[in-house]
Amino acid sequence: EEERLGRGRGGDHVERAEGATILRMRPSSSSSETGEEGFSASSSSSSSSSSSASRREAMRQQVSSVFGAAAAAALFTVSGRRDEAQAGLFPKMPGETPQNLGPRGGGNLALCPETPNCFSTTTPKEDQVHFMAPLKFNKSPDEAWSQIVKVIETYPIPNGGIDGGGKKIITLDNEKKYLYAQFESKLFGFVDDFELSMATDQKAVYLRSASRLGDSDFGVNSKRINWMLNELKLLGGWDVKPVEGA
């Protein structure tokens, strides 16, 4: 879970851009730094003379700016140690299931929202934030589909902590060659929607991976996608290009 809160959607730390504050939540035997038992915080920009109250309020405001007021309220009002938090003291925030999911003509999927925590092969190349190349294959469509479904089914949880809440394959239509899965963070239960759709005449698989909440995902969608692409490359007969995280 080491990546998730930093993503803007779940986990246990926030990392900002160069020169900005880095916030980390970690177990503590003392409540003197935070005013809440079991959590302490460190900030690269906080001076040693800052009071614990002002440090905590600054942290709350920054978490709120990234994740929203609800996430900040949950994080800074729930007491308890890390294992207790992971046991369910934090409310889950999956967000609403998007209404634009599903395959379009030619295997295309939905475009991404304006937020950078999404990749879609349907995105025009000019949009370098959201664009990723379709997954090309030089084998039969049935063999290619079977391989990529197997990769999703065997995806390791938590995969370095980025998907500690698990995965669910919601829709698997082998006839239409469409797959829809959800990946969940451990701490807050934030959900990412993941889709695959094959265009058999193009010998290509279209992919879309998008976070429901937050803004930047701190590279989590790209890590998940690139793990899958690497697995396909190892199988041979796939032409795939890695993506770079936001």
Side-chain angles (χ1 to χ4, degrees), residues 32-120:
S32 61
E33 288 187 50
T34 64
E36 296 287 334
E37 181 186 354
F39 282 130
S40 64
S42 63
S43 171
S44 61
S45 63
S46 297
S47 66
S48 58
S49 61
S50 298
S51 68
S52 61
S54 63
R55 286 200 305 271
R56 188 169 181 276
E57 175 60 18
M59 290 171 62
R60 188 196 64 77
Q61 290 178 2
Q62 292 194 27
V63 171
S64 179
S65 70
V66 177
F67 312 115
L75 183 60
F76 287 93
T77 58
V78 177
S79 299
R81 299 184 183 277
R82 177 187 174 92
D83 57 347
E84 295 173 329
Q86 292 180 341
L89 290 182
F90 287 120
K92 286 196 173 185
M93 301 182 201
E96 296 293 329
T97 302
Q99 299 302 304
N100 61 344
L101 301 177
R104 273 87 167 138
N108 288 315
L109 298 167
L111 295 171
C112 287
E114 292 184 359
T115 53
N117 50 10
C118 172
F119 290 96
S120 174

Side-chain angles (χ1 to χ4, degrees), residues 113-135:
E114 292 184 359
T115 53
N117 50 10
C118 172
F119 290 96
S120 174
T121 52
T122 305
T123 302
K125 287 184 179 180
E126 293 75 22
D127 183 354
Q128 291 300 307
V129 174
H130 303 108
F131 172 77
M132 70 170 291
L135 288 55

